[in-house]
Amino acid sequence: MVPLSARGGDMAVLDFGDPDRPVDLVFCHANGFNAVTYRSILAPLASSFRILAPDLRGHGRSTLPTIMAGRKNWHDHRDDLLALLEAFPGPPVVLAGHSMGGTASLLAAAERPARISRLVLFDPVIWGGLTSVVFRAPLLRRLSDRIPLVRTALRRRAVFDSREQALEAYRGRGAFKDWSDISLIDYLSDGLIERAEGGFALACAPQWEASNYVSQGHDPWRAMRAFGGPARILKAETGSITQVPEAPRGLPNIAVETVAGSHHLFPMVRADVVRDALFDAAV
């Protein structure tokens, strides 16, 4: 656990590699998941690099507060990452992430570009264009009960009798259909927390997962311009939530490519693609 007292709690962080060397790469998970979900992707890189993988606010074992009233954007995740970087001073790092974790990384890089050498983002949440940002968050809050992702999150089963019961409930179904048992077990290891009254609850509460979906008042387009450094975006072929075209106009530092035959959760089933991209960025 890394104390982030100014942020109101502690951030759980996996630390891969030689602890005596500076941090090379920080990797952030997607909404609803946790750092351990990506263990099998990141661990093989530890022989070459030092990698931090935090549990974002409201996920895994982090204890940072989850305040949903009046929440409008992901600046809380952004500022948590900036505090984490301050706790590990050193040369510029590669900042990487999947989905929400990719967008949070982008927002953080825009605030502290001197601390970031480059970005590697896997299907980050980047909707629409510049003119839509002002209207997006209020509209999503008003229509939240009609948004499929929000409705699915709020209907999600939050309590299980055992980890084994959760494993059987998820195995081969829905978003987990193509996952290996190893990835699924990794997700559940920190994705469930034991309850004092018995059983296990989702570490990421459905209400917090839903809050992340509707709190879209941040501006990733402005962040892409403000960072100015090299950024590689790998987006899914189907179901992508990255609406950034290849060779985006006015953003020469942004390289965008599509991962053939992939969907939004491709890191969990195409670990080779993710690992290769991270290795290329960190060398």
Side-chain angles (χ1 to χ4, degrees):
M1 299 292 280
V2 177
L4 300 180
S5 56
R7 303 296 299 150
D10 297 338
M11 176 175 269
V13 181
L14 297 181
D15 191 344
F16 298 96
D18 183 354
D20 293 325
R21 67 175 287 158
V23 174
D24 298 290
L25 186 149
V26 178
F27 183 93
C28 301
H29 61 79
N31 187 23
F33 296 103
N34 54 67
V36 180
T37 307
Y38 302 80
R39 180 194 59 80
S40 61
I41 299 172
L42 301 175
L45 297 171
S47 61
S48 302
F49 311 110
R50 186 180 180 190
I51 303 170
L52 301 182
D55 284 336
L56 298 179
R57 179 179 297 252
H59 295 77
R61 299 188 181 275
S62 287
T63 63
L64 297 163
T66 52
I67 301 172
M68 289 173 273
R71 188 169 184 248
K72 299 178 181 178
N73 50 50
W74 291 351
H75 292 172
D76 45 9
H77 295 309
R78 176 198 69 186
D79 294 344
D80 293 342
L81 282 178
L82 294 175
L84 177 65
L85 291 174
E86 289 178 6
F88 289 86
V93 303
V94 176
L95 205 50
H98 175 212
S99 191
M100 182 181 75
T103 307
S105 298
L106 171 60
L107 297 173
E111 293 296 309
R112 299 287 189 276
R115 282 289 282 123
I116 311 304
S117 60
R118 62 181 60 239
L119 291 167
V120 187
L121 312 178
F122 303 96
D123 217 48
V125 185
I126 303 178
W127 298 113
L130 297 174
T131 58
S132 68
V133 174
V134 173
F135 306 103
R136 186 183 310 128
L139 179 62
L140 285 175
R141 284 195 297 274
R142 288 199 302 270
L143 301 178
S144 61
D145 60 341
R146 304 181 192 177
I147 299 171
L149 284 172
V150 173
R151 295 171 66 179
T152 298
L154 293 176
R155 289 198 304 264
R156 199 177 308 285
R157 180 175 178 177
V159 178
F160 295 88
D161 294 336
S162 65
R163 295 184 185 276
E164 292 76 17
Q165 185 185 59
L167 177 63
E168 289 306 312
Y170 288 148
R171 180 185 278 141
R173 299 179 184 177
F176 303 97
K177 181 175 62 174
D178 300 324
W179 288 35
S180 68
D181 273 2
I182 292 175
S183 294
L184 187 51
I185 290 169
D186 280 346
Y187 158 62
L188 291 173
S189 67
D190 275 3
L192 294 172
I193 54 176
E194 192 166 3
R195 304 194 311 158
E197 61 269 40
F200 294 82
L202 291 178
C204 178
Q207 294 82 1
W208 181 249
E209 181 183 353
S211 174
N212 283 317
Y213 288 132
V214 299
S215 301
Q216 297 291 313
H218 48 274
D219 189 346
W221 295 90
R222 186 207 66 81
M224 282 189 283
R225 297 196 311 275
F227 172 53
R232 183 183 181 190
I233 296 177
L234 290 82
K235 64 180 184 178
E237 184 174 45
T238 60
S240 176
I241 55 176
T242 302
Q243 296 180 351
V244 182
E246 296 185 11
R249 187 172 62 181
L251 294 169
N253 59 311
I254 307 291
V256 182
E257 56 198 88
T258 300
V259 179
S262 66
H263 53 72
H264 178 60
L265 296 183
F266 72 83
M268 288 72 166
V269 295
R270 292 295 309 275
D272 56 324
V273 171
V274 177
R275 197 179 297 120
D276 288 349
L278 295 176
F279 184 89
D280 290 345
V283 291

